[in-house]
Amino acid sequence: DDLKKRILELTNVPVDRQKLMAKGAWIGTLKDGDHQSLSKLKENATVMLMGTAEVISKPADSEKVVFVEDMSVDELARHGVLTPAGMVNLGNTCYMNSTLECFRYMPELRQALTNVPPEIGNLATNFVQTCNDLDRSGVSIPPFSFVHHLRRNYPQFAETSTSSGGQLGGYMQQDAEEFFNTLVAEIQSSLNNLPSDARRAEENRFTSLLELQMQETLTCAESELEAPVIKTEAVNKLVCNIQNSIDHMHDSIKLGLEGTIEKHSAVLNRNALWKKTQRISSLPRYLCFQFLRFFWKPTPESRDHRGVKCKIMRAVTFPETIDVFDFCNEELQQTLKANRLQADKAFEASLGLGTKPAATSSSETSSSNSVPETAVPSDMDPDEYRALQEALQLSMDTSPTTSSSITSSSTSPLGNCLPADFTGLYELHSLVTHKGRSADSGHYMGWVRQGPSSDLWWCFNDEKVVADVRTEDVLRLCGGGDRDIAYLTFYRYKLPKK
């Protein structure tokens, strides 16, 4: 009987042991072959089963239930239950530990580096292995392999101090920014030398992760006849210059993007002053900003005249979300401006504030390739507004699909795996702080946001990790005294609100 076979599958009670009873359908138990009684069963009727089941076998694909109390420390770490493991200080390696913790929580970077063959054994592969070891460990670990490779291949990080008696001391403190440059150079080299298939993938390119394309324009300040000199260069960070009039990171960045240099003028046939202006022409997914706090102070009155490395303690605030629009060139600004206009219209539509388009006659209807005429805002120039509408139409791809209207990611100012509707906002992701008066001394710590837009942060003080840090606590690390001060800040692209 099909009914008894189905009951066998559900209950594991053999057919010959099944005793079935149903009130109103048959009297007593159902007899074999009594199809007439089965036809009396109504929909959703209750059938009572009596019988002893065989030993129920456990499905092969079912997972064993494991309780948190029964898990080991390393298992808890792998499932994210415990606070992340830190790194043991192996002799003034806090500069390295703090920077690595910031890179550790860049999943796109780690994913790209998984394509690097591990047998290469460079700093990039050691970084991936160290991160994997940290993720699997429930306790802090000493990064022996990474430190050994770093000091063996980069002797500047293996410098030792000398005591007054001439005996060698411990390893010297190093600059976290110099280590950042070294690590980034190794990562860039590794990603640029990936196998051809992996290298062609945009998400594996270093340019889409940490590299900015800067457009530099030199204009002669002494002759209008001199043609401007325009060139593009790649940089891995933006420098925040600190002066007496600087109180905020935004102003500090703008100060560093403009200046004057002395350069030969072909028109004047002599050296002349040129105005130097830099603007971003291509954005990555992560931005690094360095606060230029350390400087070399000469000491002419000292015996050796070597000078000392000093630190600027001035407080310079940094935002939780930074808008890079002012730092971009005109082409990139047009794209961001179009995306912002589109986002504003979507927001107004969600609030029911959108205006109905005015009715037009057939004679006023433009062709499909022209930009629709809309009311120009009172605070905008008509030509500027029309250019903005053209950029918006291109970004929305509302025109017919032709070869001229399709923009590939390789030529788009955005590209680099950024969202097509990216508006130029970056969210604070992590930072490296320094406490002390000199780059050759003091202590570094790493601070990492626990998730996008989360208010909770981790503070990595070498092997000690604190998990109850808030955003307001991190934003106080702006300087102004002998305390932890932001030195390197990392920002991650912010997804537009839907």
Side-chain angles (χ1 to χ4, degrees):
D1 294 323
D2 294 338
L3 175 61
K4 292 190 174 183
K5 290 180 180 179
R6 180 57 178 161
I7 293 175
L8 172 63
E9 295 175 359
L10 296 174
T11 64
N12 217 35
V13 176
V15 174
D16 57 347
R17 297 182 188 176
Q18 295 180 13
K19 306 296 182 181
L20 303 179
M21 293 180 290
K23 186 178 180 180
W26 57 82
I27 300 174
T29 60
L30 179 67
K31 297 178 182 180
D32 294 337
D34 190 356
H35 301 291
Q36 184 177 0
S37 297
L38 281 175
S39 64
K40 297 179 181 179
L41 276 176
K42 297 180 180 180
E43 188 177 358
N44 297 325
T46 301
V47 178
M48 180 180 295
L49 168 66
M50 292 189 298
T52 305
E54 297 285 356
V55 177
I56 300 176
S57 59
K58 183 179 179 181
D61 58 347
S62 65
E63 297 183 1
K64 180 182 178 181
V65 177
V66 180
F67 296 95
V68 174
E69 295 80 0
D70 300 327
M71 297 173 69
S72 66
V73 174
D74 290 346
E75 289 174 334
L76 291 172
R78 286 196 297 270
H79 288 81
V81 178
L82 291 180
T83 300
M87 285 179 277
V88 177
N89 194 315
L90 299 178
N92 277 330
T93 57
C94 57
Y95 68 93
M96 179 198 77
N97 293 349
S98 56
T99 307
L100 287 181
E101 294 292 3
C102 296
F103 278 58
R104 173 185 172 187
Y105 289 94
M106 297 180 183
E108 301 92 339
L109 174 62
R110 291 179 59 178
Q111 179 60 37
L113 289 175
T114 57
N115 298 283
V116 180
E119 58 270 14
I120 293 179
N122 61 6
L123 207 61
T125 57
N126 272 273
F127 160 70
V128 174
Q129 184 59 47
T130 300
C131 291
N132 293 338
D133 293 342
L134 287 168
D135 293 343
R136 291 191 295 262
S137 177
V139 295
S140 298
I141 64 172
F144 287 122
S145 177
F146 190 94
V147 172
H148 173 72
H149 184 91
L150 177 68
R151 289 172 174 169
R152 183 185 63 184
N153 293 278
Y154 299 93
Q156 68 267 32
F157 297 106
E159 294 179 343
T160 56
S161 59
T162 304
S163 63
S164 58
Q167 297 179 347
L168 292 178
Y171 288 102
M172 296 178 62
Q173 179 67 282
Q174 302 294 331
D175 192 334
E177 187 264 340
E178 293 178 0
F179 171 73
F180 166 83
N181 293 335
T182 301
L183 180 59
V184 164
E186 283 268 7
I187 293 175
Q188 184 174 13
S189 176
S190 299
L191 294 180
N192 289 342
N193 290 285
L194 287 175
S196 57
D197 292 341
R199 189 170 62 251
R200 282 194 293 267
E202 189 175 40
E203 62 269 15
N204 294 334
R205 298 175 188 171
F206 183 77
T207 53
S208 71
L209 293 167
L210 280 162
E211 185 177 274
L212 295 120
Q213 295 293 326
M214 302 296 296
Q215 183 184 71
E216 180 181 286
T217 304
L218 297 177
T219 307
C220 184
E222 301 182 27
S223 174
E224 296 181 354
L225 300 178
E226 190 75 58
V229 178
I230 302 176
K231 64 178 182 179
T232 303
E233 63 176 351
V235 298
N236 301 324
K237 61 180 181 296
L238 292 176
V239 177
C240 305
N241 293 279
I242 301 177
Q243 296 183 359
N244 292 334
S245 59
I246 298 298
D247 296 317
H248 194 271
M249 189 177 78
H250 188 277
D251 299 328
S252 178
I253 299 171
K254 291 185 67 175
L255 180 65
L257 294 178
E258 298 183 358
T260 57
I261 63 171
E262 187 174 339
K263 182 180 179 295
H264 181 75
S265 169
V267 174
L268 300 177
N269 196 25
R270 61 175 175 82
N271 286 347
L273 290 178
W274 293 67
K275 180 182 178 182
K276 177 181 176 181
T277 304
Q278 289 182 306
R279 292 294 182 266
I280 301 172
S281 60
S282 178
L283 289 165
R285 284 173 282 179
Y286 289 89
L287 292 178
C288 176
F289 298 93
Q290 177 206 358
F291 289 90
L292 202 61
R293 291 194 173 276
F294 298 111
F295 67 99
W296 193 259
K297 181 179 180 180
T299 55
E301 298 179 358
S302 63
R303 179 178 299 180
D304 54 10
H305 304 288
R306 292 181 58 185
V308 293
K309 207 171 186 179
C310 299
K311 180 180 178 181
I312 301 175
M313 312 295 287
R314 180 181 177 85
V316 179
T317 60
F318 53 93
E320 181 182 1
T321 301
I322 186 170
D323 186 352
V324 298
F325 183 86
D326 292 340
F327 314 138
C328 300
N329 64 0
E330 292 184 4
E331 181 183 8
L332 188 51
Q333 283 185 347
Q334 285 295 330
T335 302
L336 297 178
K337 190 182 294 184
N339 287 346
R340 293 181 180 200
L341 181 61
Q342 181 181 352
D344 290 344
K345 287 185 175 180
F347 178 72
E348 291 177 357
S350 66
L351 298 178
L353 302 178
T355 56
K356 297 182 180 179
T360 56
S361 62
S362 58
S363 60
E364 295 174 342
T365 304
S366 58
S367 63
S368 60
N369 293 329
S370 64
V371 180
E373 295 292 338
T374 56
V376 179
S378 58
D379 59 343
M380 291 188 66
D381 180 75
D383 294 336
E384 180 183 358
Y385 185 73
R386 181 174 180 82
L388 182 59
Q389 291 292 323
E390 291 175 350
L392 175 61
Q393 186 180 33
L394 180 61
S395 67
M396 296 177 64
D397 195 21
T398 57
S399 58
T401 304
T402 62
S403 58
S404 61
S405 64
I406 299 177
T407 306
S408 65
S409 60
S410 59
T411 59
S412 171
L414 286 179
N416 293 340
C417 296
L418 289 171
D421 55 353
F422 180 60
T423 58
L425 298 181
Y426 284 80
E427 181 182 61
L428 187 62
H429 169 271
S430 55
L431 63 154
V432 175
T433 60
H434 178 266
K435 183 178 182 180
R437 291 279 177 173
S438 171
D440 299 328
S441 61
H443 182 60
Y444 290 95
M445 292 199 299
W447 310 71
V448 181
R449 189 187 289 268
Q450 295 187 19
S453 302
S454 173
D455 188 44
L456 293 175
W457 291 67
W458 290 305
C459 172
F460 292 92
N461 183 7
D462 290 328
E463 64 270 18
K464 301 177 182 178
V465 183
V466 180
D468 57 351
V469 181
R470 300 285 179 174
T471 302
E472 60 179 349
D473 303 321
V474 174
L475 296 179
R476 293 194 188 102
L477 305 172
C478 56
D482 288 324
R483 47 180 291 184
D484 298 298
I485 302 176
Y487 182 41
L488 298 174
T489 57
F490 298 91
Y491 285 79
R492 184 182 187 273
Y493 73 95
K494 191 172 184 179
L495 294 172
K497 291 184 179 181
K498 299 298 183 180

